Amino acid sequence: MAIVDFINISTVSAAVALIGSAGIILLPKPVDKVIMFTLLQGGFIGMIVAAKYLDVAVAVALFDPISTVILLIGIIKLNDVRRKKLEAQEESNIA
C-alpha cells in the first residue's frame, strides 16, 4: 500500500477542512480567522463533491462567498465600535 493511495479528494478535503478549523481556533486576529474560514469552506465543498452531492455543492459554492462578505462586514463594524470605545475612554481619561 503506497502513500499515493491515501491522496484522493476525500482525504485532501478533510485535511483542508481540519487546517481551516484549527486555524480558526488558534489564530487571534479576526481577519486571519476569515482566511481560515474560507479554507474550511473549501474543504467542506470538497467533501460534498466527494460524496457526489453536486447539486448541494453548487448551492454551497454560491452561498459561501456571501457568508464570507457578511462576516467581513461584521468584523469591520466590530473594529469600528472597538475603536470608538477606545477613543471615548482616552478622552475621559484626559479630562
Side-chain angles (χ1 to χ4, degrees), residues 5-64:
D5 294 336
F6 292 114
I7 299 176
N8 56 22
I9 191 166
S10 298
T11 55
V12 170
S13 298
V16 169
L18 285 174
I19 290 169
S21 60
I24 289 172
I25 294 169
L26 298 175
L27 294 174
K29 290 184 180 180
V31 176
D32 293 339
K33 288 181 185 273
V34 171
I35 294 169
M36 291 295 133
F37 182 67
T38 56
L39 274 177
L40 178 65
Q41 288 174 344
F44 183 63
I45 291 173
M47 286 188 278
I48 292 172
V49 169
K52 295 185 176 66
Y53 293 116
L54 299 180
D55 53 344
V56 177
V58 169
V60 170
L62 290 175
F63 290 125
D64 277 348

Side-chain angles (χ1 to χ4, degrees), residues 69-88:
V69 167
I70 292 171
L71 188 63
L72 283 171
I73 290 171
I75 288 172
I76 290 169
K77 294 287 185 183
L78 182 67
N79 285 338
D80 287 343
V81 168
R82 286 180 179 167
R83 184 179 42 83
K84 288 178 184 178
K85 184 178 178 182
L86 185 64
E87 288 173 359

